[in-house]
Amino acid sequence: VDRRSSLHGRANVRSRRSAKKLREEERRDVAMATKSACKAHLGPLRARHGVPARRVRVNSAGGPVGLSEELRTAVDKFVAQHKVVLFMKGTKSFPQCGFSNTCVQILNTFNVPYETVNILEDESLRQGMKEYSNWPTFPQCYIDGEFFGGCDIMIEAYQSGELQETIEKAMVN
């Protein structure tokens, strides 16, 4: 009886290890697919605006350098070309942050076209956008070429009706 229970115990340990290994492989696959999708989205954005893909530059303290002039120009063009833009963590089909997800859900209620940019894919873009908007957190929403706000502001404006008015005005212009 003791031998059976010890064999049964070893089998359970093996199956738990196998299950854990499968979960780790699935997580890795999802991460790889997400990274590929993000690169596919960000690459054309950078290419359309003539911004070469490059490594993050670092300052003397080892931190990323702020917004370069070429990236500023590219962001200016992109924000001007689209009525509503959300710089967020993840994509509209796969938000990777609760605040980003909330903003996507709010924008989806208006049934208007909007663009998203995944700031997790490019550290220089992520740091540069903080400087560009003078806003330290993400998501960041731009409407009609101007910074509107982050998640808290969007929630408040959505509840008051101000966001709907602002988006309607932007769509008319």
Side-chain angles (χ1 to χ4, degrees):
V1 174
D2 289 342
R3 182 173 166 82
R4 282 187 187 165
S5 62
S6 72
L7 288 175
H8 182 68
R10 279 189 230 146
N12 280 340
V13 169
R14 273 193 222 118
S15 68
R16 280 188 299 232
R17 284 184 189 153
S18 297
K20 184 177 179 183
K21 189 174 181 178
L22 282 173
R23 284 193 305 271
E24 287 172 5
E25 287 173 1
E26 287 172 358
R27 275 190 222 124
R28 226 175 307 134
D29 290 346
V30 168
M32 293 291 284
T34 302
K35 188 173 183 178
S36 296
C38 294
K39 278 185 179 177
H41 179 73
L42 189 60
L45 166 66
R46 294 178 72 97
R48 273 197 306 267
H49 299 290
V51 179
R54 57 181 153 55
R55 294 188 182 275
V56 176
R57 295 179 303 155
V58 294
N59 60 24
S60 59
V65 173
L67 188 63
S68 69
E69 196 54 43
E70 63 186 355
L71 190 55
R72 179 183 300 280
T73 303
V75 171
D76 282 340
K77 285 180 185 177
F78 189 76
V79 168
Q81 288 176 347
H82 302 282
K83 296 292 185 179
V84 181
V85 179
L86 186 64
F87 288 87
M88 61 180 282
K89 295 177 181 177
T91 63
K92 67 173 111 176
S93 59
F94 190 62
Q96 294 183 341
C97 157
F99 299 113
S100 294
N101 184 47
T102 298
C103 291
V104 166
Q105 296 307 314
I106 288 171
L107 291 173
N108 286 344
T109 64
F110 296 115
N111 292 322
V112 295
Y114 66 95
E115 293 294 321
T116 61
V117 178
N118 182 359
I119 54 94
L120 295 176
E121 187 58 32
D122 185 336
E123 186 63 25
S124 63
L125 176 65
R126 182 179 183 173
Q127 294 302 320
M129 286 307 299
K130 293 176 183 182
E131 183 182 319
Y132 183 85
S133 64
N134 199 25
W135 192 260
T137 60
F138 291 95
Q140 295 178 4
C141 183
Y142 290 77
I143 300 174
D144 209 14
E146 295 198 18
F147 178 64
F148 185 81
C151 185
D152 291 344
I153 292 171
M154 286 187 69
I155 291 170
E156 193 174 302
Y158 174 73
Q159 291 171 341
S160 72
E162 178 188 350
L163 183 58
Q164 183 172 357
E165 290 174 22
T166 304
I167 288 177
E168 286 173 357
K169 284 181 190 174
M171 291 301 146
V172 171
N173 291 338

